[in-house]
Amino acid sequence: YGGWHPADVMAAARQVDIPLVLSVHDSNPQRLSKNVCVADLVLCTSRVVAELVHARGVPQETIRVLPNRVDRDRFRPDSNDPQVALLRTRFPWRYPILHVGRRSREKNLDTVIAALAQLGPQYGLLAIGPGDPEPYRAQAVALGAGDRCQFIDPVPNEALPSYYRWCSCFCGPSRWEGFGLALIEAMTCGARVVTSAVAPMTEYIQDTVNGILVGEYEDPQLLSAAIVRACEDPTLQALGQAARESTRRFATETVDAMEAEYYREALALSPARCNRTSMPTWWSRLREKCSW
């Protein structure tokens, strides 16, 4: 489970004639080991990850796309959700913007804050996720938006749907992603999503159809304009409904069935077809000397 250190462990510990399945979730090439080539099947969360894996040397015939899944019963629109009213009281902005994700460079929270600073006082940002908020809080203060920018630690998964239902715009313009699960969760709840026009987001979002894509996603002015469209453009009233409909292919039961089929495929491999890529010499010698 993972294309970096887990792939190295898998390569070192593999047994001859036992099929190996590896899953890769990150589109950052620096987090992809050359040992992904040892696997008999490589499950990739998106096409952009699959392309990266293939470029690293994995044959196309051993690559499968397996997206993340979303519980569409839990993540759904609900106009009667009592937690939404509490959030409106706690964060009394007319147009609340939501960002969910790690406080790290790939999530591009810094540009979201810069975009917020260009918007009027009726807009506010709530950022949910792990990591040190102080650099981002300092940025918001320096830009004059400190009183409209709030940070909270990760919330339980069962509580997230209320936040997605509450926001006027879910803004997640990541610099890179392996899949973008928070975007899918927000869309499944009927949120209007603004994100970057890069893969894999372009694999499941069509601009102004089920979300808004921003090409220059590090430009605060363009990002703020996209946020305003999501919140105020009357021609985009159906954006949230279309967003939910477009996530049916990521339903838990659908993806579960795909994954089960891939494991059946792996189990059906004959010993002769298992990848016989040799393990590191040092590991082979060590195993010969050890009884375990």
Side-chain angles (χ1 to χ4, degrees), residues 18-287:
I18 295 178
L20 290 178
V21 179
L22 176 72
S23 55
V24 182
H25 321 98
D26 200 319
S27 62
N28 184 348
Q30 296 181 345
R31 297 176 184 171
L32 184 65
S33 168
K34 63 181 181 181
N35 281 319
V36 296
C37 297
V38 174
D40 298 296
L41 284 182
V42 182
L43 309 182
C44 303
T45 52
S46 60
R47 289 199 300 271
V48 68
V49 174
E51 291 168 3
L52 174 65
V53 167
H54 180 54
R56 190 53 56 95
V58 177
Q60 195 70 56
E61 60 267 22
T62 65
I63 297 173
R64 306 289 183 272
V65 174
L66 181 72
N68 286 334
R69 64 208 82 198
V70 62
D71 184 342
R72 287 174 57 84
D73 292 327
R74 171 179 292 174
F75 291 90
R76 57 181 174 80
D78 184 358
S79 58
N80 297 316
D81 184 348
Q83 295 302 315
V84 172
L86 295 176
L87 288 170
R88 287 172 180 160
T89 300
R90 183 179 176 186
F91 306 105
W93 307 307
R94 181 176 181 182
Y95 299 117
I97 306 164
L98 180 64
H99 182 280
V100 176
R102 297 185 305 277
R103 290 167 189 143
S104 55
R105 185 176 183 276
E106 64 262 35
K107 299 301 181 180
N108 202 16
L109 178 56
D110 52 305
T111 304
V112 180
I113 293 171
L116 173 70
Q118 300 197 14
L119 299 171
Q122 68 271 38
Y123 285 87
L125 170 66
L126 175 63
I128 303 175
D132 183 8
E134 291 311 315
Y136 298 101
R137 184 175 285 116
Q139 178 195 7
V141 170
L143 293 174
D147 59 336
R148 296 187 288 122
C149 195
Q150 299 292 323
F151 303 89
I152 62 175
D153 291 333
V155 302
N157 190 259
E158 59 268 19
L160 272 175
S162 296
Y163 288 88
Y164 294 136
R165 295 163 186 153
W166 158 77
C167 70
S168 297
C169 168
F170 180 90
C171 189
S174 297
R175 292 180 168 97
W176 69 87
E177 282 283 357
F179 180 72
L181 180 58
L183 288 163
I184 296 298
E185 291 175 341
M187 293 168 68
T188 307
C189 287
R192 299 181 184 184
V193 165
V194 172
T195 187
S196 42
V198 298
M201 283 75 84
T202 51
E203 295 177 21
Y204 51 75
I205 293 178
Q206 293 179 271
D207 188 36
T208 69
V209 175
N210 61 339
I212 296 178
L213 297 171
V214 181
E216 299 296 329
Y217 51 87
E218 293 187 282
D219 185 324
Q221 185 173 354
L222 293 179
L223 188 60
S224 64
I227 292 171
V228 170
R229 289 192 68 194
C231 294
E232 301 187 44
D233 190 338
T235 67
L236 298 178
Q237 289 292 323
L239 206 63
Q241 181 179 350
R244 175 169 172 80
E245 288 300 313
S246 68
T247 64
R248 288 185 179 276
R249 57 182 166 142
F250 304 121
T252 299
E253 59 273 16
T254 300
V255 181
D256 281 353
M258 291 175 62
E259 185 168 19
E261 187 57 37
Y262 292 151
Y263 279 103
R264 289 190 192 98
E265 182 180 355
L267 290 167
L269 288 174
S270 65
R273 289 179 56 200
C274 288
N275 192 333
R276 292 176 179 271
T277 302
S278 60
M279 63 185 68
T281 303
W282 66 267
W283 182 260
S284 302
R285 291 174 179 172
L286 178 62
R287 288 186 56 178

